[in-house]
Every structure is written in structure tokens, then in C-alpha cells.
Amino acid sequence: MRSEQSYVAGLYTRLDGERAQVKGRYSAALRGNGGSPMEREFEVRALAKEVKRLDVADNGLCFGRLDTLAGERTYIGRIGLFDEANEFETLLLDWRAPAARAFYVATAATPEDMRRRRQFHTRGRQLVDFTDEVLGRPDGGEGGDAALLAAVNAPRGAGMRDIVATIQAEQDEIIRLDHPGVLVIEGGPGTGKTVVALHRVAYLLYTQREQMERHGVLVVGPNPAFLNHIGRVLPSLGETNVVFMTAGDFVPGLRATADDTPEAARLKGSLRILDVLAAAVADRQRVPEEPVHIELADVTVRIDAATADWAREEARTSGLPHNAAREVFIEVLTWALTERAITRIGQGWLTRADREAWENLRTDLREELADHDGFTAALDELWPILTPETLLTQLYSSPERLRAAGADPALFRVDGDAWTVSDVPLLDELVDLLGRDKPVDRTAERERRAEAAYAAAVLDNMVGREDMMDDEDHLFATDLLYAEDLADRFLERDTRELAERAAADRDWTYRHVVVDEAQELSEMDWRVLMRRCPGKSFTVVGDLAQRRSVAGATSWSTMMEPYVPGRWVYRSLTVNYRTPAEIMSVAAAVLAEFAPEVQPPESVRACGVQPWSREVGADELATAIEEFVREEAGREGTSVVIGPPDVPGTVPASETKGLEFDAVLVVEPERILADGPRGAAELYVALTRATQRLGVLHQGALPRALTGLAGIGSPVRAVR
């Protein structure tokens, strides 16, 4: 024990020394130590990342040791450390390194050439105990589950913890799986699918850092509470180039504040909505019902239906998005109106041979049309510049426009801009259908280039005056950015962190995407995500039995095959590390009612506390909830009260997806279950959030699946 404590203490000494060296170089880089400004900025960013990597290693730096049959020892930890004098001597092996794999997968039956696995138990920087597991000797006894059971039995804190010290063989195989496409991981409650997906990201960033780091990783979760819950896992593993989003965040700057009806959500989630969007855009490309007269200085011209229809067809067949195709529409109309005007104005005095006069007249007419308010108003009516928000707002709030686009009347709403999560992929799709507002884009580009040119001229002037300065005021060239450098900074440099830049850029593409609770995503959601990751590298985790969205997945092949045919693989997790057997038996009974074909995960432990139920009257419900909250406040760990949205003091089950609590109180399960198949999935989610204690309060009869609960207080009545 003492020798191991000494070794761990030595690792921390090495960590502190390396950290001091890196922080010293970081401070020097901030002060400026030669090189170009861009080189210094690159160095500062790289060193800042290294400082973070070393800082996160403080907690649980070393968590185990492997002994080979040949007597060699390898210590496994959160990061890799090397001897200061000999950089080829490994003091601590990073858990993601190939050589560390045996720490997670070696068993008595398949020892992987290992003799012993030693798992450390630490408190802060102190090693307080360790557990040995002898490998390759079935009669030697095993204690390898001690670390795992200690972790799953520990009280829950404010967020999810990493599992680098307790990764199981089933999980490790998935984390290290070498598959370049889409990996679908399905697992019931408590199987660790979320944390496995996050550790897979850390593993990929370790093994493919150069390819992945420039574009970053996107993690998509079901709600902000879930993202907050998992947000510390990757930083604790030293990875920060990660963007966390919900499906409602796919369009930067937009916030969904309303809810769709199930039918509207189903319609918007289907790929058939693409035809509606295309038709809605086409409906805004119009021809006049009556000719539009444009009075110019010397002649009046008119836009008739035939001319506008010709211009519209030319614009549509250009292949450009709507806003860009408007320029084609304008060009054709301008040409047609100009030619007609020239013919009328020049009749009797202008011959075809007088080319210069013709061209001058043509130029004058084009300029007059371009500045004509009536012509501009006609263009805005026939081919308006549209934003995704404008088009959808006007579509939803107009029965006439919905009919014209062939849309279901269920999409109508009075407040067209009351955005829902289901609107987000439609708005994203419309960015491509409509394109950017090109005139605005060109103006912004001109302004940026003007700023850069101005800055370059000012700096050139400063540099040119160097020879005119005396020694005291002399400016050294190394202290200056030259004109080209400054211009580049104005035009190209962005000093924000990668995650911040990516989250704000709708066109950003990621090297890898993690999707959690993936069974809730619609076909349209997947279309957005596939657009965000051209390489189609995904880790997808979910549980079809927990699906509550009417637009969500009913099978993984339905969602994956259209995008990655033959490039996706399926893996399942079957062991429940979170939910004790006593609670899982209750949840399994609910699962058998609505999804009898699904096998519930097997719990690895029992907690010794039986779930309970209690029948209360309407006037007793609030008091019973308060009693539970008060009692749990005096315990270590976390708790939650889950119930229908209209019951004070409760949260809906949908807001607890992916979360875990030491104690859970489920209120009025009969009302949760009454919401059809979605309600059954909600109740299943609610029952499987607890790691230690589960209670149920009900006013009406208990659902049949819950009749096995132990009753407290008044007799439990059950539906037969």
C-alpha cells in the first residue's frame, strides 16, 4: 500500500512539474516571444489547451495498474505522463491508448496476457485503498466488481460523472469500435449508453485528433437540463472542442417557445413536408393577374402575365435558390421592358444601324428602371426577397397559402411566428431553398473590404514614417502588424473559441456528431444533422421503447438507410448499471404492457429498498409531496418529483430523460399512462430514473402494471 501511495504521489509531482512548465511557456507566449502575430496566436491557443488538459487530470489522475505475466507493470490514468529525463519511459498510460484496453476487457477466462488488475480508490490526491483481481485463475477469487459497485451506489451529484475508472468490457468494445460511419447504440435505462457515447468521442479525439479537432464535435441532446447534466464529462476528459445543442438550436439565434399538436409535429417531421416547402416557395413566384404599368420619362411599359411567366420560368430553370434567382427574373424582365421601350421611343428617328444611340438609350432605360419605385414594387410583389422566418410565418397564418402549397390544414396557427421545435428543421431547409439575401451579403462584404483597406493604408503610413522618427520614438518592425496581416485579420481571423464559432454558424460542418435520445428525432431532424456532418460520422444512442415523439423513430433502419445505406452498424447494451433490481422489476412490468417484444436490461445490483405506493385524496396530495421533498432534503444525493404538467411541484417525465436521481417520487401514474402509447413510454422513463429509492402517489386506481408495489397507508386499489 505504501509503495503505491508513493508512486501516485510521484505522478502528481510530475503532473505539477509539467503544468508549471506549460504555464510558463503560456505566459511567455502571451507577452510575445518572437515570431509573427499569427504564429504567436497559434502558440497561445495550443498552450491554453494543454493547460486545460493538465488541469482536468487532478481528479482521479491514476485509477489502476496492470501486471503482465512477464512481471511488467503499467499504471492507467486519465492522461498520459512521461518521465522528464526520458520521454520514452511511460509513467502513466492514457486510458484511451491501445495498450490500456486490457484494463477494461481482461477476465479470468480471457486474461489478455495479464496476471492482475489493480483498481485504485482515491480521495483527492490520496490513494486510500485498492482492489486486486487475479486474472487467468478461476479459483483465485475476483474482486473486480468492487469499484463498479462503489461507483453505481454512490450518491448522485449535480451532473454526470465520467467512467474512465469503471468502463466495462461491453462498453469498452463500443467505445473503441473502429467504424467510420454511423454507430447506433441501443440500450435500456441505466445501461450507460450516454456516457459510453461521450467516452467514444474522447477516444476518437485521442486517436484522430488532427482530423477531428479543426471541425469539432457536435453533441445533440433532448433538452437543456440533459445537456447541463452531461456537460462536464468531456471537459473532465480534457476535451473542449465540443458543441452542445438540442434539436431546437439548429438555427442560430432562434428560440422555440411554443408546442405543436401531435398531428402538426407528425406532419412537420415527415420528409413529405419538403414538397410543401417547395410549393410554398413557388407560390411566392407570381405573375400579375392584371398588367402592371410602369411610367418612365418618355414611355409607359407594362409587365403582362406572359412576360412575367417567361421571366419566372427562366429564373426557376437557372437552378439557383429563390433569392439568387430573383436576379435572373429581374434581368429578363428588364431586358423585355427595355426592348419594348426602345422600339416605341426610337420609332421614326432611330435606325438599327445607329448602334451607339441604341446602346445609350438602352443604358438610360435600364438605369431608369433600376431606380423606378413602381418597378421595384412590382418586383417585390412578383418575386419578393424572402427569409425562412417570413415565408413560414405567412404560410402558417394563411389558410389560402396553406391550400396553395398543398399543406394539411392542421398546420394552420394564428401566431405564425410562435416557433416550435418542429419548425427548426423546416427553417433550416428553407435556408437552402431561399438562399441568402445576395444584395445584403454584397453590401456587408464591401464594408468588410473597405475596413480592411482603410486599416492597411493607415498601417502602411505608420511603417513609412519609421525613418522619420528619432531613436526614442522608433517603432520596431517586430512590434507591428504589416498591412497584409491586418487585412487578413479583418477578413478571415476569428478569435472566438471553436465551439462558440461553430454554434453561431449555421453552415458549420462537424467531423463527428453524437445524438442522444435519438429515437425522438424526426426524419426532418436527421436531414439537418446529415447536412451538418458531410462525412456521416455519427454515434447515435437511444432506446426505441422510450420514444414519445409521434414523429420519432420506429426503427433504426428507417432513419439510417436513406442517408447511410450499408454504412451503419448496430450495437446493444444489455446491463443496467443505474437501476436496482427492485425498481427495474416494477418498470419491466410497465414495459411488458406496451412493448412486450422488448427485453428489459438486467440490473447488476439490488439496493435492498422496496419501491412503495400510497393512495392519497385530492386534499392530501400536496402535503404528501412536501413530505417526500422534506425527507429527501435531509439525505445525501439528489431527488425529483415526476408527474403530470398541471400538478404543482412536479416535472414532466420528458424533462428527466437521460437524468438520474437517488430518489424519485412518481405522482398520479394513471394520468401519465392515460396519454396512450406516449404516456406508457413516459411512465417507463419516470420509473427508471431512480438509483436507490422509488415511491408512487396516486389518487385513482393504480395501473395494472404497478399492482406489485408495496402499499403504504390506505389500501391500494388495483385495476383488474
Side-chain angles (χ1 to χ4, degrees):
M1 180 68 176
R2 185 169 300 174
S3 65
E4 296 290 38
Q5 289 174 331
S6 176
Y7 192 89
V8 171
L11 290 175
Y12 276 107
T13 299
R14 177 71 189 102
L15 175 68
D16 291 340
E18 190 168 333
R19 182 188 289 125
Q21 290 178 5
V22 173
K23 286 186 175 179
R25 291 163 53 204
Y26 178 66
S27 298
L30 287 175
R31 291 192 301 269
N33 54 359
S36 71
M38 292 184 69
E39 288 172 338
R40 290 200 300 271
E41 183 177 324
F42 178 82
E43 184 180 14
V44 166
R45 287 179 178 270
L47 289 171
K49 289 180 181 178
E50 183 64 10
V51 170
K52 290 180 181 178
R53 185 185 79 89
L54 295 172
D55 283 343
V56 300
D58 254 326
N59 183 27
L61 173 62
C62 177
F63 45 78
R65 190 186 92 188
L66 272 176
D67 296 355
T68 68
L69 292 174
E72 297 175 349
R73 296 178 177 179
T74 302
Y75 288 84
I76 313 297
R78 192 171 294 276
I79 65 171
L81 288 176
F82 300 90
D83 186 90
E84 186 174 13
N86 180 8
E87 62 180 17
F88 296 104
E89 182 181 346
T90 302
L91 301 178
L92 185 66
L93 186 65
D94 191 300
W95 67 274
R96 293 165 289 194
R101 182 174 179 272
F103 185 80
Y104 301 110
V105 303
T107 65
T110 55
E112 303 279 333
D113 294 326
M114 299 296 159
R115 184 172 63 87
R116 175 167 50 200
R117 171 171 44 222
R118 175 167 289 177
Q119 292 179 299
F120 293 163
H121 312 292
T122 59
R123 185 179 300 115
R125 290 189 166 204
Q126 297 300 313
L127 173 61
V128 297
D129 193 12
F130 61 74
T131 303
D132 277 349
E133 181 181 1
V134 178
L135 303 169
R137 296 184 185 175
D139 59 343
E142 293 188 4
D145 288 340
L148 171 64
L149 293 177
V152 297
N153 281 311
R156 265 47 187 175
M160 180 178 285
R161 297 166 293 194
D162 66 64
I163 58 168
V164 289
T166 59
I167 293 172
Q168 301 301 292
E170 179 184 57
Q171 298 170 330
D172 185 79
E173 179 186 354
I174 293 173
I175 290 170
R176 299 175 193 267
L177 185 66
D178 183 16
H179 179 69
V182 176
L183 168 61
V184 176
I185 308 169
E186 184 163 29
T191 54
K193 53 188 178 292
T194 296
V195 75
V196 166
L198 295 176
H199 283 67
R200 176 168 168 77
V201 169
Y203 174 75
L204 291 174
L205 283 166
Y206 176 81
T207 57
Q208 305 175 26
R209 187 166 301 279
E210 186 175 349
Q211 303 98 303
M212 295 185 67
E213 200 167 48
R214 283 196 299 271
H215 291 268
V217 173
L218 173 64
V219 176
V220 180
N223 53 59
F226 174 83
L227 295 179
N228 184 59
H229 178 65
I230 68 171
R232 67 177 64 179
V233 174
L234 285 168
S236 76
L237 298 172
E239 307 300 348
T240 56
N241 287 344
V242 180
V243 177
F244 294 89
M245 286 186 183
T246 68
D249 300 325
F250 292 159
V251 176
L254 186 87
R255 288 294 174 265
T257 57
D259 293 319
D260 272 315
T261 64
E263 179 61 10
R266 183 187 66 79
L267 291 168
K268 294 177 185 179
S270 169
L271 291 180
R272 288 190 290 273
I273 199 70
L274 294 172
D275 293 333
V276 172
L277 296 179
V281 173
D283 183 53
R284 306 304 297 272
Q285 302 162 354
R286 322 197 80 161
V287 297
E289 296 180 2
E290 299 292 336
V292 178
H293 294 83
I294 309 296
E295 294 186 7
L296 302 177
D298 298 318
V299 68
T300 296
V301 293
R302 68 175 192 172
I303 305 173
D304 54 36
T307 303
D309 186 57
W310 171 42
R312 180 173 66 175
E313 288 307 306
E314 290 293 323
R316 285 178 174 176
T317 56
S318 69
L320 297 172
H322 172 87
N323 289 331
R326 171 184 161 104
E327 295 187 16
V328 178
F329 182 77
I330 294 172
E331 182 63 29
V332 174
L333 273 186
T334 300
W335 184 89
L337 297 183
T338 300
E339 290 303 306
R340 292 175 185 175
I342 289 174
T343 301
R344 294 179 185 176
I345 293 172
Q347 192 173 23
W349 66 271
L350 189 61
T351 66
R352 289 287 177 184
D354 193 348
R355 290 183 176 275
E356 183 176 354
W358 275 96
E359 291 303 322
N360 289 339
L361 182 56
R362 180 178 287 108
T363 298
D364 291 343
L365 286 170
R366 290 179 67 91
E367 291 177 353
E368 188 176 359
L369 276 174
D371 294 333
H372 196 285
D373 291 341
F375 185 56
T376 300
L379 293 174
D380 290 341
E381 177 65 25
L382 300 177
W383 198 291
I385 291 176
L386 296 170
T387 66
E389 291 83 356
T390 299
L391 186 138
L392 268 193
T393 295
Q394 296 174 352
L395 176 67
Y396 289 151
S397 59
S398 170
E400 293 78 15
R401 284 200 165 110
L402 286 171
R403 280 196 298 271
D408 193 296
L411 295 179
F412 172 80
R413 66 188 186 211
V414 175
D415 296 326
D417 59 354
W419 303 118
T420 70
V421 172
S422 300
D423 290 326
V424 173
L426 278 62
L427 291 166
D428 187 79
E429 186 72 28
L430 284 169
V431 172
D432 285 347
L433 288 177
L434 298 176
R436 311 296 186 181
D437 181 351
K438 294 299 182 182
V440 173
D441 284 354
R442 283 200 297 270
T443 299
E445 180 65 19
R446 282 197 300 270
E447 291 175 352
R448 285 195 297 270
R449 291 192 176 278
E451 289 175 349
Y454 172 76
V458 169
L459 195 52
D460 277 339
N461 185 48
M462 292 173 61
V463 174
R465 289 169 52 201
E466 276 196 64
D467 293 338
M468 301 170 60
M469 297 181 180
D470 57 32
D471 290 341
E472 183 178 351
D473 295 325
H474 187 72
L475 290 174
F476 292 94
T478 55
D479 296 326
L480 290 172
L481 284 171
Y482 285 96
E484 296 83 357
D485 294 327
L486 193 58
D488 285 343
R489 280 179 174 270
F490 268 95
L491 291 173
E492 298 175 7
R493 299 299 294 161
D494 190 334
T495 58
R496 294 174 297 171
E497 293 293 332
L498 181 144
E500 185 180 359
R501 285 184 283 130
D505 186 353
R506 180 263 175 186
D507 295 321
W508 190 278
T509 58
Y510 298 88
R511 184 67 67 177
H512 190 77
V513 177
V514 175
V515 185
D516 208 324
E517 300 293 343
Q519 72 278 355
E520 305 298 343
L521 269 60
S522 69
E523 292 176 317
M524 286 297 293
D525 289 325
W526 281 110
R527 187 174 171 87
V528 175
L529 287 173
M530 292 294 172
R531 187 181 293 128
R532 297 291 193 276
C533 187
K536 306 296 187 290
S537 178
F538 283 76
T539 299
V540 177
V541 294
D543 180 9
L544 295 179
Q546 295 186 54
R547 179 180 67 89
R548 67 183 299 272
S549 171
V550 294
T554 55
S555 75
W556 298 117
S557 61
T558 300
M559 292 301 186
M560 297 299 120
E561 280 296 322
Y563 301 106
V564 284
R567 284 195 60 220
W568 67 281
V569 297
Y570 174 89
R571 294 291 185 273
S572 64
L573 292 168
T574 60
V575 180
N576 189 331
Y577 301 100
R578 177 180 67 213
T579 316
E582 295 90 340
I583 295 175
M584 196 61 217
S585 65
V586 176
V590 174
L591 180 66
E593 291 267 327
F594 77 95
E597 74 284 357
V598 178
Q599 182 70 25
E602 182 180 354
S603 298
V604 299
R605 67 188 176 98
C607 65
V609 179
Q610 291 296 325
W612 55 268
S613 67
R614 177 182 170 190
E615 184 176 5
V616 296
D619 57 342
E620 301 173 305
L621 183 60
T623 301
I625 293 174
E626 291 173 2
E627 288 176 356
F628 171 84
V629 173
R630 186 166 51 250
E631 180 178 348
E632 289 300 329
R635 299 174 184 260
E636 187 179 5
T638 60
S639 63
V640 69
V641 181
I642 302 175
D646 59 346
V647 177
T650 72
V651 297
S654 59
E655 294 183 13
T656 66
K657 297 195 76 169
L659 308 182
E660 55 185 30
F661 306 87
D662 292 271
V664 172
L665 180 65
V666 178
V667 177
E668 299 202 60
E670 65 278 9
R671 287 185 54 195
I672 298 175
L673 196 59
D675 194 14
R678 183 169 72 169
E682 293 275 82
L683 182 57
Y684 182 58
V685 169
L687 294 171
T688 54
R689 299 306 95 193
T691 65
Q692 301 291 341
R693 299 175 296 281
L694 172 67
V696 173
L697 294 178
H698 59 103
Q699 294 187 74
L702 268 180
R704 180 175 56 187
L706 299 183
T707 55
L709 286 170
I712 296 179
S714 58
V716 176
R717 294 179 291 119
V719 176
R720 298 298 179 187

